[in-house]
């Protein structure tokens, strides 16, 4: 939450003992004496924390956020949605082409990425990044065997209006 403000009554991340849990949060920066600062608070117990800065939002260049009607455009359980994404568990790179509902001038998208139906005994992660760029060293979704795990992902749009989802451990 913003530096210099009171802790809100809601959480950005919930986790269980022994787990690795990724989450993305958009946080307003503190102002005045707390300019550029954010606060991190663990409500109970202790945990090691990793924070990856993956982008910034600015308001002085006319950039705007455009909300879209939620649209499930990839579902590898059934192979429905995005062309070229057949049914089945994924491992490695899966390139998805964004639907026409994403504005033509968009430079990034907000996605809900879910790992579901992982093979028994496997845990892993998903990294989302703009197609045509190098894979970043940070994960967006982490899961344990038998678990369904979703996370919000904000990612730039790569070449040919595509985003790559790198799956490790499917």
């Amino acid at each position: 939450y913003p530096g210099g403000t009171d802790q809100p009554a809601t959480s950005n991340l919930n986790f269980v003992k022994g787990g690795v849990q990724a989450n993305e949060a958009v946080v307003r920066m503190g102002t005045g004496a707390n300019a550029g600062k954010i606060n991190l608070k663990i409500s109970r117990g202790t945990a090691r924390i990793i924070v990856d800065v993956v982008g910034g939002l600015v308001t002085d260049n006319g950039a705007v956020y455009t909300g879209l009607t939620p649209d499930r455009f990839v579902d590898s359980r059934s192979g429905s949605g995005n062309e070229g994404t057949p049914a089945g568990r994924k491992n490695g790179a899966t390139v998805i082409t964004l639907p026409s509902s994403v504005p033509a001038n968009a430079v990034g998208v907000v996605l809900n990425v879910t790992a579901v139906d992982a093979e028994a005994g496997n845990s892993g992660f998903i990294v989302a990044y703009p197609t045509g760029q190098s894979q970043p060293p940070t994960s967006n979704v982490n899961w344990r065997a038998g678990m369904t795990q979703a996370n919000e992902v904000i990612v730039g749009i790569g070449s040919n209006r595509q985003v790559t989802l790198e799956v490790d451990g499917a």
Side-chain angles (χ1 to χ4, degrees), residues 8-91:
T10 59
S11 64
N12 299 102
L13 175 67
N14 299 304
F15 58 93
V16 295
K17 181 179 178 178
V20 174
Q21 182 64 50
N23 192 34
E24 194 154 286
V26 177
V27 181
R28 183 174 46 87
M29 305 297 266
T31 60
N34 293 292
K37 295 180 181 179
I38 62 169
N39 293 321
L40 301 172
K41 169 78 170 147
I42 296 176
S43 65
R44 284 180 272 174
T46 63
R48 299 183 193 279
I49 300 173
I50 299 170
V51 177
D52 302 312
V53 176
V54 297
L57 302 173
V58 295
T59 58
D60 60 353
N61 69 354
V64 295
Y65 168 79
T66 302
L68 304 173
T69 301
D71 175 19
R72 178 163 294 159
F73 68 101
V74 172
D75 188 338
S76 73
R77 294 175 295 183
S78 63
S80 64
N82 194 49
E83 291 182 36
T85 308
R89 291 184 179 97
K90 305 299 175 201
N91 196 346

